[in-house]
Amino acid sequence: SAKIQVNGVHLHYQQTGEGSHAVLLLPGMLGSGQTDFGPQLKSMNKQLFTIVAWDPRGYGQSIPPSRDFPPDFFERDAKDAVDLMQALKFKKFSLLGWSDGGITALIAAAKYPALIHKLVVWGANASVTQEDVRIYNGIRDVSKWSEKVKKPLEEMYGQKYFAKTCEAWVDGISRFTEKAGGSICQELLPDIKCPTFIIHGVKDPLVPQPHAEYIHKHIKGSRLLLMPEGKHNLHLRFAEDFNREVEDFLR
């Protein structure tokens, strides 16, 4: 666990394993390496992989700055993520992106193809529909979240920052509906040339399945795995299955 200066911000990351294959774990909204990837940091093969989990700017221990959501916040995260790995002296690496981190990973793979070895995304979307906005507004008020999900985030951020940042996220991501087709990164998907594995939980209440199918259809040669009992956090709930599938793909 350490911090390194990247693009004018001190980014926090955790690193484990000594394998030749470097893998970056990209967390979701309000997430950090610690809260979002416990079972991966603990159990992924440390002989094969060097695993890095980062806290994007304004999240986890990468505060200051406070988190904000300008129109290019996903591109900014993608650049930060890639520059972090280069600052850590990894020449080429794979990306495992969950939720918002999956969107960031898609953008990074499209924009920095020479650096990305393989790509795994789950719970990600390349566009925002009116239905998505309705879902996002359903989680706007963090006081209504389940205790289990809410507690670690309240402990990390304090009630006020947590509540304010979640509201700002809902506003920030909803703005993509103003773009043609609600696109976040649809036009970039055909630029992704690395081997890509998309995993989707059929019972995901936050990201409807057509999003995963769209990404699969527009990334040439990609693979799609549907997990019938999976929800949004399938990598935590079914960590053993998830880790096995991902390790097989990365080998």
Side-chain angles (χ1 to χ4, degrees), residues 23-95:
V23 178
L24 177 65
L25 308 177
L26 298 97
M29 177 262 277
L30 279 162
S32 65
Q34 193 54 53
T35 53
D36 287 13
F37 295 116
Q40 284 69 47
L41 286 163
K42 184 168 166 253
S43 305
M44 276 182 74
N45 188 319
K46 295 183 175 40
Q47 277 69 54
L48 287 181
F49 306 110
T50 295
I51 298 148
V52 178
W54 81 310
D55 300 359
R57 62 171 72 201
Y59 285 163
Q61 294 179 57
S62 296
I63 303 173
S66 291
R67 182 70 183 189
D68 61 348
F69 300 93
D72 66 344
F73 73 92
F74 284 117
E75 278 84 2
R76 182 180 67 182
D77 281 349
K79 183 167 171 34
D80 281 349
V82 165
D83 291 351
L84 166 72
M85 291 301 275
Q86 294 205 287
L88 296 174
K89 304 282 186 274
F90 296 109
K91 288 186 174 61
K92 205 165 178 177
F93 45 91
S94 292
L95 301 173

Side-chain angles (χ1 to χ4, degrees), residues 3 7-8 10 24 43 51-52 56 68 84 100 106 114 118 127 133 138 150 152 154 157 170 173 180 194 226 241:
K3 284 190 171 188
N7 300 330
H10 289 91
L24 177 65
S43 305
I51 298 148
V52 178
D68 61 348
L84 166 72
D100 268 19
L106 291 168
K118 292 185 176 184
S127 65
V133 172
K150 190 166 64 176
E154 274 182 352
Y157 293 117
V170 172
I173 198 158
C194 65
L226 297 175
D241 293 347

Side-chain angles (χ1 to χ4, degrees), residues 16 45 53 72 86 103 105 117 139 151 163 242 246:
T16 178
N45 188 319
D72 66 344
Q86 294 205 287
I103 300 171
H117 183 38
I139 63 164
K151 196 164 178 254
F242 174 87
V246 167

